[in-house]
Amino acid sequence: MPELPEVEAARQALQEHCVGKRIVKCASADDTKVIDGVTPDRLEAALVGRTIAAARRKGKNLWLALDSPPHPTFQFGMAGAIYIKGVELSKYKRSAVSSTEEWPSKYSKLFVQMDDGLEFSFTDKRRFAKIRLVDNPEAVPPISELGPDALFEPMKLDEFVKSLGRKNVPIKSLLLDQSFISGIGNWMADEVLYQARIHPMQTASKISKDKCATLHLCIKEVIDKSLEVGADSSQFPDNWIFHSREKKPGKAFVDGKKIDFIATSAYVPELQKLDAGDAETSRSKKSVDKENDDDKKSRKGINAPKPAKARVKTAKGSSNKAGNTGDDGDEEDYEEEEAKPAKRGRKQSARAANVSTKNAGSTHGDEATVEDQEADEDAEPAKRGRKQIGKSAKGSDEEADDKMEVKPGKRRGQKTQPTEAKSSLPKKVQGAGPARRPQRKARQT
C-alpha cells in the first residue's frame, strides 16, 4: 500500500506540474465512502476557479494548498494514487491503471483540469482512500494527530534513542504507530528492521544504543533510496527484503537466507535475533497460540455433526419384524426412516414369519388362536422399551426358546437388533418358525 515514498513521489509530481496553475474543470465521483464529509457538487464548486499554491504532505496524507481555503486533502488508504495525463509516475502495485484505459479512469474519484490543459486524477480501486475538504488540514484529524514526518521532520539521534528507551512495545509496532513517527508503513518497517538486523518483536526499550543508531540511519537510507527511483519498487536494491516479503513461507529468500513471517512481518531469523528475554516471551506466545488453535480444533471436532443413524425409537420399541406384521400401525411410522438395507432385512424376516404362521395354522389352528391372544398381550409392553421386554423374556420360558430362532443375515448398513427386541414378536411367529421347518422340508420332498 502507498507509504511515505509513494505519497511523496505523487506530491513531487503535483508540485512540479500543477503549482501556479488555475483549476478550470473538476469532476467528483458520487462515492460517499471515498468523498468524505462533502457532496460532489460542493467539492467541485470549491475547486473550480482556484489556483494551486503548493502540494504538501505529512506522513501518508497529501493536500493541495489553494490560494484560499478550503483545501482538498487526500488520504491514500490501500490503493490511492495520483495520475497526471502525459506524465510518467510510479505505478503502485495495487493501483496501477493501464495507459490504454479510458481517461479519466473508471476508478477516478476526483478529476481536475488546469487552465493550460493539463489534467490529473486521483484514483482508488479498493475504495479505502478518503478525500476531504477542510479549511486548515494541519489542525484537524487525521493530520493533526500525526507524529513528526520521517522525511521532513526526522528525530535527532539522541531524541530517537530516548524515545525508544521509554517504549516497552515491539519495535515493529512502534514504527507503525503514526503518532510516534508518521509515514512508515508495513513494508518500510520490515525493510528498515532487516537492514538494521533487528527482530520485529524486539522490545524497543531493550535495543542497544548502537542498534538504535543503526536503525535511525536505516530509516533515512530506505526513504532516500526509494525516492531516488521515484518510489518505483521494481528499481529498489536487489538486496532488499521488499522483493520477497510477499512470497509464500518456505519460498521466500533474500541473499540466500530464508525469510520467516510473524503475522504481517517478514524477517530473516539468521540475522535478526531476539534477546533472551524477548525470545522466551515470543516462544510462550507461540505456545499459547498453538494451544488455543488445538483447543479450537478439538472443540470443532466435538461439535461436528454426527453421521445420520436409524431412528432410535425403532430399536427401543418393538422389533421391525413385529412392525411389518401389522399388529401396530404406529410402528410403521418409525420404520419409514430406517436405512434401505435394514428394510430389505425386515422384508426377509417378514416372509419367514408369514411362512411360519401358515405352517403353524395348518397343523395347530386351535393352538395358534390361543397364542395370538397371548401375543397381543405381550406386544403392548414392547412399545415401552427394551427393559420391559427383557423382564418379560426372563419370566417366560417360551420367549427364552424363541432366542434360538434363525437370524436373518446382516446386510451392509444394517444394525443387528438386540435379542431382547425379538421377544416382542407375536408368539405364533416366534414359536412357529424353527419348530415347523422340518415338517415344511418333508412336505416339499
Side-chain angles (χ1 to χ4, degrees):
M1 60 184 294
E3 299 180 17
L4 188 152
E6 290 86 355
V7 181
E8 175 60 18
R11 186 202 69 80
Q12 290 178 3
L14 290 171
Q15 181 73 24
E16 179 181 353
H17 296 283
C18 300
V19 169
K21 298 178 181 180
R22 186 170 56 88
I23 300 172
V24 296
K25 185 178 180 181
C26 182
S28 173
D30 187 12
D31 187 346
T32 56
K33 185 177 179 182
V34 177
I35 311 301
D36 187 25
V38 59
T39 63
D41 291 342
R42 182 169 177 268
L43 178 59
E44 293 169 6
L47 299 183
V48 174
R50 310 288 294 287
T51 300
I52 298 177
R56 295 182 178 160
R57 180 195 59 79
K58 186 168 186 178
K60 305 175 195 176
N61 294 266
L62 179 148
W63 69 95
L64 295 176
L66 305 180
D67 51 2
S68 62
H71 313 281
T73 68
F74 305 87
Q75 190 173 358
F76 280 52
M78 295 187 70
I82 291 286
Y83 291 94
I84 303 177
K85 189 176 183 179
V87 177
E88 185 66 26
L89 295 177
S90 61
K91 294 182 177 180
Y92 318 132
K93 189 169 184 178
R94 294 189 179 92
S95 61
V97 177
S98 172
S99 59
T100 60
E101 293 182 16
E102 60 180 345
W103 178 264
S105 164
K106 63 181 179 180
Y107 301 109
S108 176
K109 302 303 176 183
L110 182 65
F111 166 78
V112 176
Q113 182 180 354
M114 314 305 296
D115 54 3
D116 66 346
L118 184 72
E119 299 173 350
F120 75 86
S121 171
F122 180 83
T123 67
D124 180 24
K125 278 187 175 183
R126 301 191 64 182
R127 301 176 65 225
F128 286 104
K130 297 291 182 185
I131 299 176
R132 301 180 178 93
L133 192 65
V134 295
D135 291 338
N136 186 357
E138 295 179 274
V140 296
I143 298 174
S144 63
E145 298 173 345
L146 298 176
D149 185 81
L151 175 63
F152 296 146
E153 308 164 303
M155 290 186 186
K156 294 182 179 180
L157 178 57
D158 290 344
E159 181 185 359
F160 183 73
V161 173
K162 289 179 181 178
S163 296
L164 263 61
R166 294 191 294 265
K167 305 292 184 179
N168 291 319
V169 296
I171 184 60
K172 170 77 180 283
S173 301
L174 184 61
L175 292 176
L176 294 178
D177 183 355
Q178 299 301 296
S179 65
F180 178 68
I181 298 177
S182 61
I184 298 177
N186 205 34
W187 79 256
M188 276 193 66
D190 283 350
E191 194 61 56
V192 298
L193 291 173
Y194 168 67
Q195 299 296 334
R197 304 300 191 252
I198 299 174
H199 194 285
M201 296 298 294
Q202 179 67 60
T203 301
S205 61
K206 296 180 181 179
I207 300 175
S208 66
K209 186 174 182 179
D210 291 342
K211 284 283 188 180
C212 287
T214 303
L215 178 59
H216 185 266
L217 179 62
C218 287
I219 292 174
K220 183 179 186 306
E221 289 180 347
V222 168
I223 293 174
D224 290 344
K225 289 181 180 179
S226 299
L227 292 176
E228 284 176 9
V229 296
D232 183 354
S233 60
S234 65
Q235 299 183 48
F236 288 171
D238 293 337
N239 65 343
W240 278 18
I241 198 174
F242 175 89
H243 300 290
S244 299
R245 64 182 302 276
E246 292 189 0
K247 293 182 180 179
K248 293 181 179 180
K251 296 183 178 180
F253 295 87
V254 56
D255 283 347
K257 295 177 174 59
K258 182 182 177 182
I259 298 174
D260 275 356
F261 299 89
I262 302 176
T264 59
S265 298
Y267 71 105
V268 178
E270 184 178 342
L271 302 176
Q272 299 168 259
K273 299 183 182 297
L274 277 173
D275 288 346
D278 286 339
E280 181 63 30
T281 302
S282 179
R283 283 193 295 270
S284 299
K285 183 178 183 301
K286 288 181 180 179
S287 177
V288 170
D289 291 342
K290 186 177 184 303
E291 289 177 1
N292 290 337
D293 291 341
D294 293 342
D295 184 59
K296 288 179 181 179
K297 289 178 182 179
S298 63
R299 289 181 181 276
K300 186 177 180 180
I302 292 172
N303 296 328
K306 297 181 180 179
K309 295 183 179 179
R311 287 289 295 270
V312 177
K313 288 187 177 181
T314 304
K316 290 184 177 181
S318 60
S319 68
N320 296 334
K321 297 176 185 178
N324 284 333
T325 58
D327 289 329
D328 194 335
D330 294 338
E331 299 297 323
E332 295 290 340
D333 295 335
Y334 294 115
E335 291 164 7
E336 287 177 1
E337 296 188 27
E338 290 280 330
K340 289 183 179 180
K343 287 182 179 180
R344 290 196 293 270
R346 291 197 301 273
K347 287 181 181 179
Q348 291 180 357
S349 301
R351 290 195 190 110
N354 291 335
V355 172
S356 300
T357 304
K358 289 180 181 178
N359 292 337
S362 62
T363 57
H364 298 282
D366 296 336
E367 182 181 344
T369 303
V370 175
E371 289 180 353
D372 285 343
Q373 295 175 357
E374 295 176 356
D376 292 338
E377 295 174 0
D378 291 338
E380 290 299 323
K383 299 178 186 177
R384 294 193 290 272
R386 289 184 296 184
K387 290 185 178 180
Q388 293 184 5
I389 295 173
K391 291 178 181 179
S392 62
K394 290 180 181 179
S396 175
D397 294 334
E398 292 181 1
E399 290 177 0
D401 294 336
D402 290 341
K403 295 180 182 178
M404 301 299 294
E405 183 183 23
V406 178
K407 299 179 182 178
K410 184 179 179 181
R411 295 176 179 269
R412 184 178 300 174
Q414 180 182 2
K415 292 191 174 182
T416 303
Q417 297 292 338
T419 56
E420 291 88 348
K422 292 183 179 181
S423 63
S424 63
L425 285 171
K427 291 187 177 180
K428 63 179 181 181
V429 176
Q430 292 178 328
R436 302 296 176 254
R437 286 196 185 191
Q439 294 181 10
R440 184 177 58 182
K441 287 182 181 179
R443 214 156 104 191
Q444 290 175 353
T445 57

